[in-house]
Amino acid sequence: MSTFKTLDDLGADQRVLVRLDLNSPVEDGEVQDNRRFERHAETVSELAEAGHRVVLMAHQGRPGGDDFVSLEQHASILADHVGHDVGFVADTFGDDAIDAIESLSAGDILLLENTRMCDDELPEEDPEVKADTAFVQTLAPYFDAYVNDAYSAAHRSHASLVGFPLELPAYAGRVMQTEYEANSAIATREFDGQVTMVVGGTKATDVIDVMNNLGEKVDRFLLGGIAGELFLRAAGHDVGYDVGGMDLFDDQWEANHETIESLIEERGDQITLAVDLAYEDEADERAEIAVEDIDEKDRAYLDIGTDTVEAYDPVIRDSEAVFVKGALGLFEDERFSEGTVGVLRAISETDCFSVVGGGDTSRAIEMYGMSEDDFGHVSIAGGAYIRALTGASLVGVEVLQNN
């Protein structure tokens, strides 16, 4: 399906420049291990074990943010996953970086400093402009090949993602390959049976774009999260408003209510909304209320209710393909995990093609004792997953395909 070259096409004994996405949560200055390290370790291990000299690039945070830190900690976390030393140099393309690159032996791994500490990296510009930067022009001559494994950043036209493929033979790493193929499946595969999409999360705007674009490809949409409440509001229920200092609903309603209303009008028979919602009662316990019994929204709703979970379950089990975008409730709190976990369990027990993606949703799989092996693909991409679902092109993939 993809027209880019992969690691299977890479010649022997190369000095390879590899772009990963190791962007991670940072708590009190400590970089948190997460599934991105585990996934990218597959590509890094494969290259090192084949005897290539492996130089890694990645970004962390954005200038000015609390999470804009050095990649020194990332090197040791990645080393644990790869089972091999990962050297680190606090430089991207200066003399220290070049010296470290030139001193590598076969099978060695080196991580360069945060690409976003380099002035040439960040502004989004055409690949040709990025290829002409000092960053790319200085580093490229030291390498035989470029590997992009950072699918989750592939919608960004940054130097480390789009500049190097114009200067070097370029290949897709294993994460890039599997993410691209799974996430493009909804646009490119033909399914004979029912295709269902579970839609939740906090970014309603993203989800609405997906629903608008995929109406012809998806038979059933099951809604929860912020988007679900906004659709209930459009259907005439007194929910989907900000209460008590929240700022998740009213702005998104303002921006999207016309599209939501037209989706309900044109595709209402494809869209299933919650019939009950869960909230925290006075005793700090989970309580539920039927949507039709809500006269006025006076509290935050934190999950879909049990009746809704029971209604969604058979729809999933009757599906040939299920795509998940976003959580259906505040699953990090066990009291409000029933919607997200109920849906994921149904998918895991159904013999269907499935892709679970959208920010943190995939964390619920591990958190609640399920196995990633029971899902077709668990995506580590947020923005790129959304773009793939809406059929938008990914510039980082395009430059690989054109190489």
Side-chain angles (χ1 to χ4, degrees):
M1 184 174 70
S2 54
T3 53
F4 43 59
K5 296 193 189 85
T6 70
L7 300 190
D8 299 331
D9 305 301
L10 186 63
D13 190 29
Q14 309 258 306
R15 191 186 277 154
V16 189
L17 183 63
V18 187
R19 178 58 154 93
L20 309 179
D21 183 359
L22 301 177
N23 196 38
S24 304
V26 178
E27 293 172 15
D28 302 326
E30 289 283 315
V31 175
Q32 305 298 300
D33 192 351
N34 63 76
R35 62 172 21 91
R36 285 182 172 170
F37 288 97
E38 184 188 330
R39 291 280 178 86
H40 287 301
E42 184 187 347
T43 297
V44 177
S45 301
E46 185 176 337
L47 289 166
E49 283 164 17
H52 299 296
R53 284 156 290 167
V54 185
V55 178
L56 310 173
M57 297 185 292
H59 71 278
Q60 173 62 52
R62 278 184 177 265
D66 291 343
D67 60 348
F68 184 59
V69 299
S70 166
L71 297 189
E72 189 169 3
Q73 293 178 57
H74 298 67
S76 60
I77 297 171
L78 185 62
D80 289 342
H81 289 283
V82 176
H84 188 297
D85 282 348
V86 176
F88 172 74
V89 59
D91 188 19
T92 45
F93 67 98
D95 292 344
D96 290 350
I98 304 301
D99 289 347
I101 289 163
E102 291 204 282
S103 65
L104 293 175
S105 303
D108 284 353
I109 306 168
L110 173 71
L111 176 61
L112 303 178
E113 184 55 282
N114 189 344
T115 58
R116 291 185 176 174
M117 291 181 177
C118 160
D119 292 342
D120 292 337
E121 169 77 339
L122 261 192
E124 298 242 359
E125 295 165 312
D126 288 342
E128 292 73 18
V129 175
K130 289 306 190 188
D132 204 32
T133 57
F135 177 22
V136 175
Q137 290 297 321
T138 307
L139 265 193
Y142 293 94
F143 292 92
D144 304 306
Y146 169 80
V147 173
N148 191 348
D149 210 31
Y151 177 84
S152 45
H155 54 308
R156 304 283 187 204
S157 194
H158 295 156
S160 62
L161 295 155
V162 300
F164 290 100
L166 274 57
E167 299 295 318
L168 290 164
Y171 305 82
R174 297 306 184 199
V175 171
M176 174 67 79
Q177 192 182 345
T178 54
E179 287 271 358
Y180 175 75
E181 287 171 4
N183 296 339
S184 305
I186 200 165
T188 54
R189 278 179 64 154
E190 291 295 323
F191 297 104
D192 295 328
Q194 176 173 281
V195 177
T196 298
M197 182 155 210
V198 179
V199 170
T202 55
K203 292 179 185 162
T205 306
D206 283 355
V207 161
I208 289 155
D209 288 346
V210 169
M211 290 177 70
N212 228 351
N213 188 71
L214 291 179
E216 303 299 320
K217 303 245 178 206
V218 174
D219 302 300
R220 296 287 298 271
F221 291 99
L222 307 178
L223 268 66
I226 305 298
E229 245 190 272
L230 292 177
F231 271 77
L232 285 170
R233 175 172 171 177
H237 298 285
D238 210 7
V239 295
Y241 299 87
D242 289 333
V243 291
M246 255 190 189
D247 60 355
L248 291 167
F249 293 95
D250 293 340
D251 289 348
Q252 294 197 77
W253 171 260
E254 207 50 50
N256 298 294
H257 70 91
E258 286 166 6
T259 315
I260 294 173
E261 284 155 3
S262 73
L263 279 167
I264 288 180
E265 197 173 319
E266 292 161 26
R267 305 196 185 282
D269 55 343
Q270 292 168 266
I271 297 169
T272 308
L273 302 178
V275 292
D276 56 348
L277 296 169
Y279 60 92
E280 184 179 69
D281 67 14
E282 283 67 30
D284 296 339
E285 299 289 336
R286 177 189 175 102
E288 299 185 349
I289 183 170
V291 168
E292 59 186 25
D293 292 341
I294 299 171
D295 295 328
E296 182 188 356
K297 183 174 179 183
D298 56 2
R299 68 191 69 209
Y301 296 108
L302 303 171
D303 194 10
I304 56 174
T306 313
D307 289 347
T308 305
V309 178
E310 282 175 13
Y312 288 1
D313 187 274
V315 178
I316 288 166
R317 293 180 193 273
D318 287 343
S319 299
E320 191 195 340
V322 185
F323 293 81
V324 180
K325 167 63 189 90
L328 298 183
L330 191 69
F331 72 81
E332 294 87 348
D333 182 331
E334 203 171 332
R335 296 170 301 169
F336 303 108
S337 64
E338 285 182 28
T340 305
V341 173
V343 159
L344 290 173
R345 284 237 157 84
I347 296 169
S348 74
E349 292 166 8
T350 301
D351 183 21
C352 62
F353 176 84
S354 59
V355 180
V356 177
D360 286 342
T361 316
S362 54
R363 279 198 304 125
I365 293 171
E366 196 178 346
M367 215 166 154
Y368 290 95
M370 292 172 274
S371 167
E372 281 195 16
D373 298 342
D374 292 331
F375 299 86
H377 179 67
V378 178
S379 178
I380 52 174
Y385 178 55
I386 285 292
R387 288 186 71 91
L389 293 177
T390 55
S393 62
L394 298 166
V395 64
V397 173
E398 280 184 353
V399 290
L400 287 183
Q401 290 170 331
N402 296 336
N403 190 264

